[in-house]
Amino acid sequence: MSGQRDFMQKIFWGASTLVTIVYAIIPVVWIISLSFKRNVDLSDNRFFPQRITLENYYAIFQDAQFPAALYNSLAIGLISTALAVILATFAAYAIVRLRFPGKNLVLASSLAIAMFPPISIIGPLFNMWRTIGLFDTWAGLILPYMTLTLPLAIWTLSAFFREVPWDLEKAARVDGATPFQAFRLVIVPLAAPGIFTAAILVFIFAWNDFLFAISLTSTNNARTVPAAIAFFTGSSRFEQPTGSIAAASVVVTAPMIALVLLFQKRIVAGLTAGAVKG
Amino acid sequence: MAGIVLDHISKTFADGTVAVSDVSLAIADGEFFILLGPSGCGKSTLLNMIVGLETVSLGSIKVDGQIVNNVDPKDRNMAMVFQSYALYPHMNVRQNMEFPLKLAGMEKREIARKVHRAASILELEDLLERMPRALSGGQRQRVAMGRAIVREPHAFLLDEPLSNLDAKLRFQMRAEMKGLQKKLGTTMVYVTHDQTEAMTLGDRLVLLRQGKIQQIGTPRELYSAPRNLFVAGFIGSPAMNFLPAEVKDNHLRLPMVQIPLEQLSPGEIKPGHYIAGIRPEHMYCTDDGQRPPHAFQVKVEIIEWLGADAYVHFETDKGDWSSPISPFPDELGRKMTREGGVAMTARLDPSRKITSGESLTLAINQEKIHLFDISSGLRKKNVIKHTGWA
């Protein structure tokens, strides 16, 4: 009886898992397949390419704008991430551990920023950036990315800081650490999984953003990959740039997938095991 | 090594709670000193103030004659062991023990030597490369001690260090702790709510209640001459029995028996109402043949037989008079029944077979009866200047 139920359960879980995976993976496989198709085969109504070719990849890297965009994306993403995470670490720690007036206001307003539809600030931002000369610069993108991801980073990190036993900080202070040493040597290493999580979230936001990138840039100076893809043209006016777009998408998606797979373990590990009794 | 003096210390938190009020005490150099009290009595706050993790609202703390109120915890050279052990989970045992030395900027070779020494004292040599999460509770406790002694601090401060261990391990660590303190000769301030731990470990102890000192003294002093009802009820296990009592016509009248005052310990006891305190171990069972005067009959309700001891729970008669302290204040931890009887515990010879429901003849070791004032709670005889017990 129970054997039969176990069997039914297995079937059920197996089937649901399969459906979920297929649902999630088909668009990705499709894009990858497109990127390897020859341009003439693009509309051949087949899921898999008849012949695998790298011509789309050659094409995008020969075009000057894609490598420039990749460089911009990487640099802007990394700088935004670094700034947002450093600021958020301090802010989250202060919110969790210190008592100061207006603490709840900071939390509430950071949440309000997170709720803000970015599209509503694009217009004013465009005009401001043009006036003060931030239009089409790295800083012009880093600023909004950092600002808009800070709330998320602060909320993520404060959740992790709350998990760190306060006794550890006290112990460090008694052991001879200054408040900053206690923070740097004990609290931050323990909140590392949280910091990685926050960093990945911020980086993904900056890396994937299209709205700011398309509105606040105009040349290869600061245009990031998602925006650059929109400017792809076919090799002739009669040709769709589908293949190049697919290849570019694969190139920008791959690092994301690698990043998540790489740090997944760190995020899940939970370094605090064994800190206190248990 | 250092003597620690607390001079009229008070602590008021930002929300207005008074955690510690007007505590003065002197801990001698090399002394094993216990801060004892129920939870919320301010003992941990007091410890945190000594180590510098909490600011002092009023009064001053002196270490070796120097006022340290405004000295940062890192500069006080005190080591603390936390209830949670507070081992750094991202460092192995060696790194945990090295941490305070590294912060002090000590030379590498010196660090290695000191860690080795501390590890050998605590038998941690085999565990040095382990991470805290791979250690058992007792081992973690030992590492926490190791991290404290490696610095050779002025004083050790321990905040309920044994309360997370199981009973057997606690017993073993208690003995080790005592031996360690003897060996190192360092001043040790130890916080606990467990009176057994306090009695067995401490050279001297202070009993706190709601931030106020109840009594300071050796374990023996607190046991045999408790200053007030709270001390009497807190020290000793099982707790002291409290009974309404009246002194009248040269007799001490208890609910179940009257004792002529000549037979009570001498002293000036005015007629009036009191609370009598009798420890469970100061009652004994008499056989019918040699029944002493003033023995009384009880009906056994529950018997707890522990091998080395037998605790007999019973209820007294109402007595033929009424006491103004009926019902008892909650703080006494003893309840009066609606009929006016009082639940009592006696610790009797375990070799005598006692069953519940049985009728026993008990007698009181009369010199050991304590009498307490019903309004101030202070013990009669050796009445010390007081701040009131409530």
Side-chain angles (χ1 to χ4, degrees):
Chain A
M1 196 58 188
S2 90
Q4 198 182 350
R5 222 177 62 191
D6 280 356
F7 181 69
M8 290 304 285
Q9 264 187 3
K10 263 186 197 155
I11 295 276
F12 173 76
W13 286 115
S16 340
T17 312
L18 201 70
V19 168
T20 314
I21 289 175
V22 167
Y23 177 77
I25 213 122
I26 276 189
V28 181
V29 175
W30 195 355
I31 286 279
I32 294 173
S33 150
L34 275 177
S35 75
F36 287 115
K37 277 185 179 177
R38 290 176 303 174
N39 277 333
V40 288
D41 296 340
L42 280 174
S43 40
D44 62 358
N45 293 338
R46 285 167 189 259
F47 190 77
F48 293 107
Q50 294 173 353
R51 269 185 56 195
I52 287 179
T53 164
L54 288 176
E55 67 183 44
N56 291 320
Y57 290 89
Y58 287 128
I60 56 170
F61 279 103
Q62 260 151 23
D63 186 351
Q65 69 171 338
F66 186 73
L70 208 55
Y71 175 59
N72 288 337
S73 263
L74 207 62
I76 290 172
L78 288 178
I79 295 173
S80 310
T81 306
L83 289 175
V85 167
I86 290 171
L87 284 176
T89 306
F90 288 134
Y93 177 78
I95 285 165
V96 171
R97 285 292 153 84
L98 306 179
R99 254 186 260 165
F100 57 90
K103 182 167 133 173
N104 289 328
L105 193 72
V106 172
L107 263 185
S109 50
S110 79
L111 195 63
I113 292 175
M115 301 288 172
F116 221 71
I119 188 83
S120 61
I121 56 170
I122 283 290
L125 214 52
F126 177 79
N127 287 327
M128 275 164 61
W129 273 196
R130 299 253 297 185
T131 316
I132 61 177
L134 283 179
F135 183 76
D136 200 27
T137 61
W138 281 8
L141 284 181
I142 290 171
L143 266 173
Y145 289 165
M146 189 189 78
T147 315
L148 286 170
T149 52
L150 257 179
L152 184 69
I154 291 175
W155 279 82
T156 312
L157 278 168
S158 50
F160 274 87
F161 280 136
R162 268 192 204 102
E163 295 289 304
V164 177
W166 202 338
D167 270 358
L168 291 177
E169 192 187 345
K170 288 189 194 166
R173 295 282 286 127
V174 176
D175 277 345
T178 62
F180 186 68
Q181 276 176 324
F183 176 70
R184 190 168 56 89
L185 299 174
V186 174
I187 304 300
V188 170
L190 290 177
I195 293 174
F196 279 119
T197 312
I200 288 170
L201 292 173
V202 174
F203 188 77
I204 289 176
F205 178 89
W207 185 261
N208 286 347
D209 172 75
F210 177 71
L211 187 63
F212 289 99
I214 199 80
S215 320
L216 302 178
T217 61
S218 58
T219 67
N220 286 347
N221 279 342
R223 190 177 281 151
T224 59
V225 174
I229 289 176
F231 285 92
F232 278 176
T233 50
S235 49
S236 74
R237 54 148 80 174
F238 304 107
E239 198 183 294
Q240 290 288 330
T242 315
S244 324
I245 290 176
S249 302
V250 171
V251 171
V252 294
T253 313
M256 282 296 99
I257 293 174
L259 211 63
V260 171
L261 289 182
L262 209 66
F263 287 123
Q264 179 175 256
K265 266 195 185 140
R266 283 217 85 144
I267 297 166
V268 176
L271 268 171
T272 46
V276 293
K277 67 157 180 169
Chain B
M1 276 171 248
I4 299 166
V5 176
L6 307 188
D7 194 5
H8 297 285
I9 294 290
S10 294
K11 174 74 189 181
T12 312
F13 283 113
D15 60 358
T17 3
V18 179
V20 171
S21 84
D22 200 25
V23 165
S24 293
L25 51 89
I27 300 164
D29 188 5
E31 189 172 24
F32 202 132
F33 194 86
I34 311 271
L35 306 178
L36 175 66
S39 55
C41 73
K43 54 194 192 300
S44 290
T45 310
L46 205 56
L47 195 76
N48 283 337
M49 285 195 283
I50 296 174
V51 79
L53 291 170
E54 294 274 7
T55 56
V56 179
S57 306
L58 273 178
S60 61
I61 296 177
K62 291 187 196 129
V63 177
D64 272 347
Q66 303 281 318
I67 294 182
V68 296
N69 284 29
N70 295 319
V71 177
D72 193 86
K74 72 180 162 55
D75 301 320
R76 294 199 188 189
N77 194 18
M78 292 180 181
M80 186 153 167
V81 174
F82 292 81
Q83 181 176 5
S84 62
Y85 315 136
L87 301 180
Y88 308 122
H90 56 302
M91 304 180 190
N92 65 24
V93 171
R94 182 193 299 283
Q95 289 162 333
N96 261 284
M97 286 168 68
E98 283 172 345
F99 187 72
L101 303 178
K102 274 189 181 160
L103 287 173
M106 204 175 275
E107 217 187 315
K108 262 192 184 158
R109 199 179 305 161
E110 187 71 0
I111 292 178
R113 197 182 61 79
K114 292 200 169 189
V115 168
H116 177 76
R117 187 169 155 267
S120 73
I121 291 176
L122 289 162
E123 292 162 25
L124 286 170
E125 288 108 325
D126 299 336
L127 305 175
L128 283 176
E129 308 308 324
R130 294 250 205 113
M131 296 305 274
R133 65 175 158 273
L135 300 178
S136 70
Q139 289 168 334
R140 283 179 202 176
Q141 215 284 326
R142 231 184 272 266
V143 174
M145 283 301 296
R147 195 175 64 191
I149 70 170
V150 75
R151 299 168 52 194
E152 296 163 20
H154 286 328
F156 294 121
L157 308 175
L158 301 100
D159 192 356
E160 311 226 3
L162 302 183
S163 58
N164 282 340
L165 302 179
D166 60 52
K168 199 176 157 197
L169 206 53
R170 197 178 318 157
F171 186 79
Q172 182 195 337
M173 286 306 289
R174 211 159 69 194
E176 275 185 34
M177 199 80 87
K178 183 99 182 164
L180 188 67
Q181 199 268 345
K182 281 259 142 53
K183 188 163 18 173
L184 299 170
T186 310
T187 313
M188 208 176 246
V189 185
Y190 187 108
V191 165
T192 181
H193 65 266
D194 178 349
Q195 57 99 15
T196 320
E197 231 169 83
M199 299 287 273
T200 50
L201 282 173
D203 294 331
R204 282 197 308 148
L205 50 106
V206 58
L207 180 56
L208 293 162
R209 177 169 185 257
Q210 291 171 0
K212 294 194 184 93
I213 291 185
Q214 301 299 305
Q215 191 169 356
I216 307 177
T218 62
R220 191 175 284 270
E221 282 165 3
L222 266 71
Y223 176 81
S224 55
R227 215 190 73 181
N228 60 30
L229 278 168
F230 179 76
V231 180
F234 197 87
I235 303 284
S237 171
M240 189 184 273
N241 298 295
F242 294 116
L243 298 164
E246 189 183 15
V247 173
K248 196 178 172 188
D249 305 333
N250 256 352
H251 274 72
L252 172 66
R253 289 151 57 115
L254 297 174
M256 64 291 188
V257 67
Q258 290 201 14
I259 300 167
L261 265 183
E262 296 83 55
Q263 296 193 22
L264 210 64
S265 53
E268 296 218 348
I269 295 167
K270 293 195 190 89
H273 289 282
Y274 294 95
I275 293 170
I278 303 161
R279 293 202 182 277
E281 51 270 42
H282 296 148
M283 278 180 275
Y284 56 95
C285 192
T286 65
D287 285 322
D288 295 332
Q290 37 178 327
R291 183 182 164 134
H294 326 303
F296 52 95
Q297 293 282 126
V298 300
K299 191 167 161 254
V300 176
E301 280 181 0
I302 299 164
I303 163 104
E304 293 176 83
W305 192 84
L306 303 167
D309 288 303
Y311 300 141
V312 171
H313 300 267
F314 58 90
E315 204 174 278
T316 64
D317 300 332
K318 179 181 183 289
D320 52 359
W321 48 280
S322 67
S323 169
I325 44 153
S326 159
F328 268 8
D330 286 344
E331 290 95 330
L332 292 184
R334 293 275 171 186
K335 286 233 167 59
M336 236 182 233
T337 60
R338 202 179 298 159
E339 294 79 38
V342 180
M344 289 184 71
T345 310
R347 179 178 165 188
L348 303 177
D349 181 2
S351 58
R352 191 186 197 285
K353 197 164 185 311
I354 302 167
T355 51
S356 62
E358 187 182 338
S359 185
L360 282 182
T361 309
L362 295 184
I364 302 168
N365 192 342
Q366 295 173 10
E367 299 113 65
K368 305 282 184 166
I369 297 175
H370 303 277
L371 283 185
F372 299 90
D373 190 284
I374 54 169
S375 55
S376 69
L378 291 177
R379 194 173 71 102
K380 289 289 159 188
K381 209 180 121 186
N382 319 327
V383 173
I384 314 163
K385 235 172 75 186
H386 67 90
T387 51
W389 74 285

